[in-house]
Amino acid sequence: MTGQEGLRGWADREVCQLRYGVDFYVPESVDFAGDKGAEYANSLLVVSVKKKSSGREAGLVKGDRIVGLGDPPRSDRTTFAELLDDTARAGKDGVIVQVKSAKEQDKTIKLTDTHNTGLKAFGVNLARRMLDYVPREQTDAGKTRAVIFIMIFVTILTIIRCLARYYQQYIAETVVQVGLNRLREDAFAHVLNMPIAHFAKERPSDSVSRLIRDTGAMATA
């Protein structure tokens, strides 16, 4: 959050990792000052691609650089932060990227999120939508808003967790007590129909223990 990429950049990279299985390099300040400063500032360097991922199926490999989005490439979104943001926030139809390879000729490919389905896809899409609320600016005010955003997010998660834990324990205890009461009612009804000779042989405390203590042990199960 306090580095070159900021909270928004980190979130964008994580979403790209989840959606496409691709991890990008975050340039440091020294990278912009070198001979290849413009290259780092205006492209996304691929540092890893998962074997079974949308990025690998599309043809991305380690060392490739994404230099533009769209066909033809857009001219108003060219910095590495903008490219990363648009790649992370692409819709279900995916995004067309212009790739510059160090080994092969330049190519145009399409990145789509094809490996995330069901609940995982819902989580990824939710994270993608939440990026709109994450501040992008790397100013003191932007970092302050980022801290506030994290505090609010963690507070909401904590409230949801506490409510879920409360209802979990409430429902579990309700099931236990209702089941235990019904078990004791059935056992007591059975005792009423038992022959008197049984109670002449057994001590009354044994019968009471079976009704109370033994059934109570079932509550643990």
Side-chain angles (χ1 to χ4, degrees), residues 32-203:
F32 298 113
D35 296 336
K36 297 184 177 181
E39 190 172 303
Y40 280 105
N42 301 314
S43 64
L44 294 174
L45 175 61
V46 178
V47 293
S48 67
V49 183
K50 290 184 178 180
K51 291 183 178 180
K52 295 182 179 180
S53 65
S54 302
R56 178 60 63 89
E57 293 176 355
L60 281 179
V61 296
K62 181 179 178 180
D64 284 349
R65 287 185 179 274
I66 295 178
V67 295
L69 301 179
D71 191 14
R74 294 177 56 183
S75 58
D76 58 332
R77 306 278 288 178
T78 58
T79 67
F80 82 94
E82 292 170 341
L83 293 172
L84 184 60
D85 178 57
D86 289 342
T87 304
R89 293 200 302 157
K92 62 180 180 180
D93 295 331
V95 58
I96 297 177
V97 297
Q98 308 294 329
V99 180
K100 182 178 181 181
S101 176
K103 299 179 180 179
E104 304 174 359
Q105 61 180 359
D106 298 350
K107 52 188 176 181
T108 300
I109 64 175
K110 186 175 183 179
L111 287 176
T112 55
D113 186 4
T114 57
H115 285 261
N116 293 319
T117 58
L119 187 60
K120 186 176 181 180
F122 173 79
V124 172
N125 290 330
L126 180 62
R128 182 170 56 86
R129 292 189 181 97
M130 289 184 64
L131 289 179
D132 294 333
Y133 302 97
V134 179
R136 182 194 306 278
E137 300 82 6
Q138 284 296 88
T139 61
D140 291 340
K143 293 179 180 180
T144 301
R145 289 198 301 272
V147 172
I148 295 174
F149 173 83
I150 293 176
M151 293 175 64
I152 293 175
F153 181 71
V154 171
T155 301
I156 293 174
L157 283 183
T158 302
I159 293 174
I160 294 175
R161 176 183 177 276
C162 291
L163 290 174
R165 185 65 181 271
Y166 168 78
Y167 280 106
Q168 177 195 20
Q169 294 180 346
Y170 174 80
I171 293 173
E173 193 64 26
T174 299
V175 171
V176 169
Q177 294 303 325
V178 170
L180 185 59
N181 288 336
R182 291 181 179 178
L183 178 62
R184 285 173 175 169
E185 289 174 357
D186 292 343
F188 185 71
H190 179 73
V191 169
L192 293 179
N193 295 321
M194 292 179 66
I196 300 298
H198 171 78
F199 298 101
K201 298 177 183 178
E202 299 289 340
R203 292 177 296 179

Side-chain angles (χ1 to χ4, degrees), residues 13-27:
R13 283 199 307 110
E14 290 298 312
V15 170
C16 288
Q17 180 72 262
L18 291 172
R19 297 190 69 190
Y20 314 116
V22 180
D23 195 15
F24 298 107
Y25 174 70
V26 180

